Amino acid sequence: GPDSSHGTHVSGIIAANRDNDIGIKGVASNVKIMAIRCVPNGDERDKDVANSIRYAVDNGAKIINMSFGKSYSPFQKEVDRAVAYAEEKGVLLVHAAGNSSMKNSHTNNFPNKFLNGKRRKASNWLEIGASAFKEGKSLVARFSNYGFETVDVFSPGVDLLSSTPDNKYDTYSGTSMAAPAAAGVAALVLSYKPTLNVKELRASLLQTTSRYPLLYVNKPGKQESILFSNLSTNGGIVNAYNAVESVLK
C-alpha cells in the first residue's frame, strides 16, 4: 500500500529479529508474518475483514492480529461467519480495543467477539486494551478503550519502539501496538507448545496475567479513579514469562 508504517510497526512488535542486535527485539522468535492489507486508506470494509480472516486461516495462520476497528459494520454477519470459521479451524484472533477512551459496551466497536446478534462469544477471541509502563495511577493508557464485558485483557501499548519502512524505527502508541504485543506472547507460547489448541492457547495468556486487584488508576478520558480490575474481564496485563512457564510445567 501507499503507507505501510502502521503494519510494519505492528509486525516488528511481534517478530523483529531477536538475534541481530539491530533496532529492537520482537516479542517472539520462530515466527513468520503473513502480511495482509485488510484496511485500505480509511475505513475497512466488512468484505475485506471477512476475506482477510478467511485467507489467513486457509493459508496456515495460527494467530491473526487485527490492529484495526470501526464504529459501523453494515455486513457484520459476514464478519461473524469468518470469525466462526477461524474458530472452527482453531485460529486465535487478537483484536485492538480502540483508542477513544470509551467503555466499549457504550459504543460500537467492530469487529468484536459477539456473534449472531450478541447471542454468543467467540471462544477464539482476545480483545486487547493498552497499558502503560509505570505501575500506579497511570498504568492504563489514557486513550485506551475499556470494558468489563468487552475488553478481555490489557497489554503494553504506550511508546513502543518498533520497525518502520526503509530500515527505520519509531515510537508509536495505541491499542494497535498493544494487540501485537499480546499476539507476540501467544506466538511465543505456541512456539514452545505447538500442540496447544486455540482454547488452551487463549487460556495460557488469560490465566497468567499480572494482576493489580487493589490498584486504582485514572479512568481513560475521565478525571476520576477506578479499580484497574474493573476495566477488563480478566483484570490483568499479559505476562510473557508467566504464560510460557505455564505451558512448560
Side-chain angles (χ1 to χ4, degrees):
D3 182 5
S4 54
S5 298
H6 184 270
T8 305
H9 198 274
V10 165
S11 299
I13 292 170
I14 297 171
N17 192 319
R18 296 181 58 84
D19 300 319
N20 63 2
D21 294 324
I22 300 172
I24 65 158
K25 297 181 186 294
V27 176
S29 53
N30 192 33
V31 173
K32 291 182 179 179
I33 295 289
M34 183 191 302
I36 299 173
R37 192 167 181 83
C38 174
V39 184
N41 292 331
D43 210 12
E44 70 269 13
R45 297 182 296 177
D46 288 332
K47 180 184 76 171
D48 295 331
V49 174
N51 284 341
S52 295
I53 292 172
R54 290 180 180 273
Y55 180 91
V57 171
D58 287 344
N59 285 277
K62 300 298 182 184
I63 300 161
I64 299 176
N65 181 80
M66 298 188 291
S67 289
F68 54 78
K70 58 180 181 174
S71 59
Y72 182 59
S73 183
F75 299 101
Q76 187 184 0
K77 287 183 179 179
E78 296 306 318
V79 180
D80 285 354
R81 291 189 182 104
V83 171
Y85 181 70
E87 184 180 37
E88 176 189 340
K89 299 295 184 179
V91 177
L92 181 68
L93 305 181
V94 183
H95 182 250
N99 305 320
S100 302
S101 309
M102 295 290 292
K103 187 175 183 179
N104 271 356
S105 57
H106 291 174
T107 185
N108 290 324
N109 184 50
F110 301 101
N112 58 55
K113 60 186 173 182
F114 299 99
L115 307 180
N116 303 325
K118 296 189 176 181
R119 286 194 290 272
R120 79 174 184 91
K121 297 179 185 178
S123 63
N124 61 331
W125 190 282
L126 282 174
E127 189 78 4
I128 310 296
S131 59
F133 44 83
K134 289 185 179 179
E135 184 178 338
K137 295 201 72 175
S138 299
L139 182 63
V140 176
R142 57 180 175 77
F143 54 78
S144 181
N145 287 359
Y146 58 93
F148 188 76
E149 295 179 350
T150 51
V151 174
D152 292 302
V153 68
F154 280 77
S155 179
V158 175
D159 292 340
L160 268 64
L161 181 68
S162 187
S163 49
T164 53
D166 301 319
N167 294 316
K168 297 178 181 178
Y169 299 87
D170 204 352
T171 300
Y172 292 178
S173 297
T175 56
S176 280
M177 286 62 250
V185 173
L188 185 65
V189 169
L190 197 60
S191 70
Y192 276 98
K193 195 71 175 291
T195 57
L196 293 175
N197 63 42
V198 67
K199 291 183 179 180
E200 293 169 336
L201 177 59
R202 182 178 184 273
S204 73
L205 270 66
L206 294 178
Q207 293 173 2
T208 58
T209 54
S210 297
R211 303 289 180 93
Y212 305 89
L214 301 179
L215 177 65
Y216 279 85
V217 298
N218 297 322
K219 193 174 185 179
K222 307 290 183 183
Q223 295 296 320
E224 60 182 275
S225 296
I226 188 172
L227 277 170
F228 175 64
S229 57
N230 289 342
L231 293 177
S232 68
T233 304
N234 176 270
I237 297 173
V238 171
N239 185 308
Y241 181 90
N242 290 348
V244 170
E245 185 180 46
S246 72
V247 301
L248 296 181
K249 291 179 178 178

